[in-house]
């Protein structure tokens, strides 16, 4: 069985009483290009920072290639890369759209 590149189960994160992320689930398979769209204050940064091990989730489960970023963030250093702003897909030379979730097989 192949390990998901990212696995998020019932992830919740609050900041001073504001619910930034409320129980989202998703997974990204190895080889996919993944876009996490949404308006300002939608919880994208909280989600990415938690996946990078920079923030601790209030509840739920996170895995990056099978690694728990909350307990084992040191294992992720040097092994991951994150594009935090709208970027260009180098393979196809097109912008990733913030308008909808994009799943593109990368081969």
């Amino acid at each position: 069985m192949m390990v998901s590149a990212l696995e998020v189960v019932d992830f919740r994160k609050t900041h001073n009483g504001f619910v930034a992320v409320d129980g989202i689930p998703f997974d990204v398979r190895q080889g996919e290009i993944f876009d996490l769209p949404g308006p300002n204050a939608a919880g994208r940064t909280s989600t990415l920072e938690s996946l990078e091990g920079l923030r601790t989730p209030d509840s739920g489960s996170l895995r990056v290639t099978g690694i728990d970023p909350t307990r084992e963030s040191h294992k992720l250093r040097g092994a991951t890369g994150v594009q935090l702003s709208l970027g260009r897909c180098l393979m196809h030379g097109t912008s990733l759209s913030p308008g909808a979730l994009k799943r593109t097989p990368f081969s």
Side-chain angles (χ1 to χ4, degrees), residues 35 83-90 93-97:
D35 183 15
Q83 174 69 43
L84 293 178
S85 299
L86 182 63
R88 307 245 344 135
C89 178
L90 298 178
T94 58
S95 294
L96 297 176
S97 170

Side-chain angles (χ1 to χ4, degrees), residues 32-97:
E32 287 186 318
I33 296 172
F34 179 73
D35 183 15
L36 192 59
N40 289 341
R44 294 182 314 271
T45 300
S46 296
T47 300
L48 288 176
E49 288 178 350
S50 295
L51 285 166
E52 294 172 66
L54 301 174
R55 294 190 182 271
T56 303
D58 295 331
S59 63
S61 171
L62 304 174
R63 294 278 185 271
V64 179
T65 63
I67 298 168
D68 181 339
T70 303
R71 296 188 185 109
E72 305 173 295
S73 64
H74 63 281
K75 292 183 179 180
L76 296 175
R77 306 290 185 259
T80 58
V82 177
Q83 174 69 43
L84 293 178
S85 299
L86 182 63
R88 307 245 344 135
C89 178
L90 298 178
M91 183 174 199
H92 302 291
T94 58
S95 294
L96 297 176
S97 170

